[in-house]
Amino acid sequence: MASDPKVHLFEEVAKHNKTKDCWLVISGKVYDVTPFMEDHPGGDEVLLSATGKDASNDFEDVGHSDSAREMMNKYYIGEIDPSTVPSKKIYIPSQQTQYNQDKTPEFVIKILQILVPIFILGLAFAVRHYTKNE
């Protein structure tokens, strides 16, 4: 590593997001992993998916070996300016609709679904009964 590391802006690092030009931010350090793209065991897609963000969690979740961590030293190109790294978005669940305790409209519809066919059936029987007696 250099004795006086260069400090990179996050916006600058985020521009390097292609197979032929790929930089990653891991634990506050910037790495130019372009030469490693073809050799990465997970493929270049894994590295490309970690561009444009702080890839520390992605890197740690995989459980890289000690030799992989040592290998990072040769790709180190500087530090990231922490003030330029966007804050992580916190998931805030949407508000649920309030429970409607007044079920009157639904109740009326259910009653009508039962009563209307019974009324029609009763009307049909009444019409048949009065027309049959005559």
Side-chain angles (χ1 to χ4, degrees):
M1 290 188 198
S3 61
D4 188 24
K6 181 175 183 200
V7 177
H8 299 275
L9 299 176
F10 184 80
E11 294 78 22
E12 173 192 354
V13 174
K15 292 178 185 176
H16 300 271
N17 58 2
K18 299 182 178 40
T19 304
K20 301 290 183 194
D21 182 23
C22 184
W23 292 11
L24 297 179
V25 177
I26 300 173
S27 301
K29 297 178 180 172
V30 181
Y31 299 92
D32 181 357
V33 295
T34 307
F36 187 60
M37 295 294 282
E38 292 181 14
D39 299 328
H40 187 266
D44 60 351
E45 299 88 14
V46 174
L47 296 174
L48 289 172
S49 70
T51 60
K53 63 180 182 178
D54 183 353
S56 302
N57 288 340
D58 294 346
F59 181 80
E60 296 300 332
D61 287 348
V62 173
H64 286 90
S65 65
D66 291 337
S67 62
R69 293 176 189 280
E70 290 172 16
M71 187 185 298
M72 291 171 62
N73 291 336
K74 68 179 175 182
Y75 302 113
Y76 175 81
I77 58 171
E79 301 286 323
I80 191 75
D81 181 355
S83 66
T84 62
V85 177
S87 62
K88 292 184 180 181
K89 295 179 181 171
I90 299 172
Y91 173 72
I92 300 172
S94 62
Q95 293 292 328
Q96 292 183 346
T97 57
Q98 293 296 323
Y99 177 72
N100 183 9
Q101 292 182 356
D102 182 23
K103 298 280 187 181
T104 306
E106 294 175 18
F107 179 73
V108 170
I109 290 173
K110 286 184 179 182
I111 292 295
L112 287 176
Q113 286 176 337
I114 295 171
L115 291 180
V116 169
I118 291 174
F119 175 74
I120 292 173
L121 189 60
L123 186 63
F125 278 120
V127 169
R128 181 156 191 237
H129 177 70
Y130 285 117
T131 57
K132 186 177 183 183
N133 290 340
E134 294 177 0

